[in-house]
Amino acid sequence: MNVLAKSATDTVAKSAVRQSVARTIATAADGINALAACLSADQALSGSFVDAVELIASSRGRVVVSGIGKSGHIGRKIAATMASTGTSAYFVHPTEASHGDLGMITSEDLLILLSWSGETVELGNMLTYAKRFNVPVVSITSNADSLISRNSNVAITLPKVQEACPHGLAPTTSAMLQLAVGDALAIALVERRGFSAHDFKTFHPGGKLGSQLLLAHELAHCEESVPLLPLGSPMSDAIIEMSSKGFGVVGVVDGDKKLAGVITDGDLRRHMSSDLLKMTVDAIMSHRPRLIKGSMLASAAMELMETQKVTVLFLIDDLDRPTGILHIHDLLRAGVV
């Protein structure tokens, strides 16, 4: 094959790949749009979502998710998402359930069973167990007349969609719809329970996400590390305090211990003169310091620093008294960006 012929063949092959990728994404989008349309038009479908959220929220036990094949992989992700957002959940493989793991499920728990056909044989023993011990069942299928749907307390029936697989066999679009439903249930539970960013941090202490969920007071320097002086102090004391604490700033407090102002190294440069050391901090300080509460997310503090073009923020309590100081280097070391 000559160079020109090979180049033409490569161009055709690359074009085919681009078309395949675009077709798959478009098919997936059509599937999600079909689900969204059904939710808007079908009161029964939207009602089943509401009923499922209420049933899960009222459960005293844990959510047990199960499925086989691709539905099983989606089930694992749904369980992980729920567990990380305040809904105690875990995945049980249906085959393992039939060989002893059914003992992990109590009458206070709730089952979420995933099966596109609704006739998955491997889920039969879990369904029988649920009926015997009055374990509530939420099913996610595409067949309202299926065995699993008919025997569920709440049956979420998804629209039948075209798989992205050219043979219509490999679960692609269908798996994505199952995943979307699981995410929708998890987020609805988050909002129903008022699950906060602080709660979220409890379940995500590590990694990038954990650093973004740190609070300002967790990274701040407190007590004796905070550079502070009372009103009326001489500037000579201010320079010593700034140098010894190493933040390039000193806070000035009034008689009630409230932060009345701050002096930065920039203020020193702007007021540099032979009389500087004879002046008091009152004459030099900025009267509108940038302050934050210790409960502010560290990521929000970083954004404030970048917006205001400062490197240091004082933390204050509800009475405007300084409780700590936060430097941009503290945020960078913690991985907050």
Side-chain angles (χ1 to χ4, degrees):
M1 183 181 295
N2 60 41
V3 174
L4 290 178
K6 184 178 185 302
S7 177
T9 301
D10 289 345
T11 299
V12 171
K14 290 177 181 178
S15 177
V17 170
R18 292 190 184 96
Q19 291 176 18
S20 176
V21 170
R23 186 173 58 252
T24 298
I25 298 300
T27 303
D30 288 343
I32 289 293
N33 289 334
L35 176 58
C38 286
L39 277 170
S40 298
D42 188 345
Q43 292 294 323
L45 179 57
S46 60
S48 65
F49 271 83
V50 173
D51 292 342
V53 170
E54 291 303 313
L55 188 60
I56 295 169
S58 63
S59 175
R60 292 179 296 176
R62 297 165 297 177
V63 174
V64 182
V65 187
S66 191
I68 200 76
K70 302 301 183 292
S71 294
H73 293 302
I74 297 299
R76 284 185 173 86
K77 196 276 180 183
I78 292 173
T81 299
M82 286 188 171
S84 70
T85 53
T87 300
S88 182
Y90 64 99
F91 179 84
V92 172
H93 194 284
T95 302
E96 297 297 335
S98 298
H99 292 273
D101 281 1
L102 281 173
M104 300 168 66
I105 305 170
T106 74
S107 59
E108 293 188 343
D109 294 335
L110 177 143
L111 283 178
I112 295 181
L113 302 182
L114 287 85
S115 169
W116 189 249
S117 68
E119 301 288 351
T120 303
V121 174
E122 291 86 351
L123 293 173
N125 287 335
M126 297 190 76
L127 201 57
T128 300
Y129 182 88
K131 289 296 181 182
R132 179 181 176 186
F133 293 101
N134 295 317
V135 180
V137 176
V138 173
S139 62
I140 303 173
T141 78
S142 66
N143 186 357
D145 295 325
S146 64
L147 176 67
I148 293 175
S149 293
R150 292 197 314 270
N151 287 278
S152 300
N153 297 77
V154 178
I156 297 176
T157 306
L158 305 180
K160 295 185 184 298
V161 293
Q162 179 184 349
E163 300 288 12
C165 168
H167 309 297
L169 299 174
T172 46
T173 313
S174 59
M176 188 186 64
L177 259 62
Q178 290 177 324
L179 182 59
V181 169
D183 285 344
L185 292 175
I187 299 307
L189 288 163
V190 166
E191 294 176 352
R192 185 187 184 281
R193 290 169 170 160
F195 192 79
S196 67
H198 181 72
D199 297 321
F200 200 76
K201 176 181 176 294
T202 302
F203 300 104
H204 298 79
K208 186 67 176 178
L209 187 55
S211 67
Q212 295 301 103
L213 294 170
L214 287 169
L215 302 180
H217 75 83
E218 295 178 282
L219 299 175
H221 304 265
C222 302
E223 299 178 352
E224 297 301 320
S225 298
V226 184
L228 296 173
L229 285 174
L231 283 169
S233 299
M235 279 303 300
S236 55
D237 289 353
I239 293 174
I240 294 172
E241 183 74 0
M242 290 174 66
S243 301
S244 63
K245 298 297 173 63
F247 292 104
V249 64
V250 61
V252 180
V253 295
D254 60 19
D256 295 324
K257 304 298 182 183
K258 295 181 179 181
L259 199 63
V262 297
I263 299 173
T264 67
D265 49 10
D267 293 321
L268 293 182
R269 289 191 295 272
R270 284 186 289 272
H271 291 84
M272 187 63 66
S273 69
S274 58
D275 296 327
L276 177 63
L277 297 182
K278 300 176 182 178
M279 302 171 70
T280 64
V281 293
D282 310 47
I284 302 297
M285 70 181 189
S286 300
H287 292 271
R288 293 184 178 180
R290 294 174 179 86
L291 312 172
I292 62 171
K293 293 294 181 65
S295 58
M296 175 183 278
L297 285 173
S299 55
M302 173 66 88
E303 182 180 1
L304 180 61
M305 286 183 180
E306 292 175 343
T307 302
Q308 299 295 326
K309 294 180 170 53
V310 297
T311 59
V312 174
L313 293 170
F314 277 92
L315 279 61
I316 57 170
D317 60 17
D318 293 336
L319 298 177
D320 294 335
R321 296 175 301 194
T323 59
I325 187 169
L326 183 65
H327 196 281
I328 193 170
H329 289 165
D330 302 317
L331 298 171
L332 294 175
R333 277 193 294 268
V336 179
V337 296

